[in-house]
Amino acid sequence: MQGKRARPAMISFDSTERREFVTGFHKRKNARRAEAVEQQKKKERRAKIRERKADKFALGPERIRLEEIDPTCAAYDVDWIIGNHSDELTPWIPLIAARSSYRTKFMLLPCCFHDFTHKFAQNNIKLGQYKTYITYLEKICQALGFEIDVDVLRIPSTKNVALVARRRAYPVECYAERLAALPELQRQLVQASMLKAKKRAGTSTSEAPPEEEVSFSRRVAQSSHKHR
């Protein structure tokens, strides 16, 4: 026996709303303009606040520089790069340091979990997701040729593990060779993140070349063996 058919919804005509819609184009356009002006004012206020904070923490005649960066190609002639709760930028900081001067060191204090392209979703139930993420970052740093010290900071936070790279695992004579090989390693790291995201989404990855399936651990072992 078939169920009762649902009664169609009643459609009513409202002449007042129609008149308001037809005659209100100019009014709505002005409202959008006013909203855009307000948003621009808020943006400018936030920029001024950032500048004041930069001036507050300036050291002597130097001041903090605020700028957007492209992590796929950024490089700096600096001594230290600090990633303090750097979110999506966290896995890129070792790459930026590897691309920078041989003397460049870095420190990571991870908070939110991100890989190179997506949210980091791996979770070893024995370790928990935070330690799983720390291990993931350690393997990236080692694959890029850094010796990593892990330190637990005395701060009021449960996410208090810092990764500190004070030195390279290879001599300065190998720097040019490692720098030349960096674009290919970067491509592999980014591709590995994309493949994991596809697997989580349940899509096929059969078109990927076999070398893309090489694990981080294997790449680290190959890199360490090459420069011993």
Side-chain angles (χ1 to χ4, degrees), residues 91-108:
W92 288 97
I93 288 177
L95 268 168
I96 295 173
R99 207 183 290 123
S100 300
S101 168
Y102 180 81
R103 76 174 192 279
T104 300
K105 301 171 277 290
F106 67 87
M107 187 195 84
L108 297 178

Side-chain angles (χ1 to χ4, degrees), residues 27-131:
K27 180 180 178 181
R28 292 192 294 273
K29 186 175 181 179
N30 286 341
R32 289 195 297 270
R33 285 177 174 172
E35 177 65 19
V37 170
E38 184 61 27
Q39 291 297 328
Q40 181 62 28
K41 288 180 179 178
K42 289 181 179 178
K43 185 177 179 181
E44 291 174 357
R45 282 197 295 269
R46 289 194 294 266
K48 288 180 179 178
I49 291 171
R50 287 197 299 269
E51 288 179 3
R52 286 199 296 270
K53 287 183 177 179
D55 290 335
K56 179 180 178 181
F57 292 103
L59 302 176
E62 301 293 333
R63 71 187 300 273
I64 296 175
R65 185 176 65 189
L66 304 174
E67 64 178 32
E68 294 183 359
I69 68 169
D70 180 356
T72 63
C73 58
Y76 300 96
D77 186 19
V78 296
D79 293 323
W80 280 93
I81 298 176
I82 308 296
N84 183 11
H85 291 201
S86 43
D87 297 337
E88 293 93 335
L89 194 60
T90 298
W92 288 97
I93 288 177
L95 268 168
I96 295 173
R99 207 183 290 123
S100 300
S101 168
Y102 180 81
R103 76 174 192 279
T104 300
K105 301 171 277 290
F106 67 87
M107 187 195 84
L108 297 178
L109 184 59
C111 178
C112 301
F113 310 140
H114 295 275
D115 60 22
F116 290 96
T117 57
H118 299 81
K119 288 281 265 183
F120 182 82
Q122 300 174 54
N123 186 9
N124 184 326
I125 27 183
K126 292 183 179 180
L127 299 176
Q129 191 173 25
Y130 182 56
K131 289 187 178 179

Side-chain angles (χ1 to χ4, degrees), residues 168-202:
R168 311 260 178 159
Y170 56 88
V172 65
E173 292 78 14
C174 298
Y175 173 67
E177 178 188 352
R178 294 295 295 251
L179 195 60
L182 193 58
E184 175 59 20
L185 181 54
Q186 175 175 312
R187 188 189 69 81
Q188 291 180 9
L189 293 171
V190 173
Q191 185 69 17
S193 294
M194 295 175 67
L195 288 173
K196 287 174 183 175
K198 286 182 180 180
K199 288 180 180 179
R200 289 196 300 271

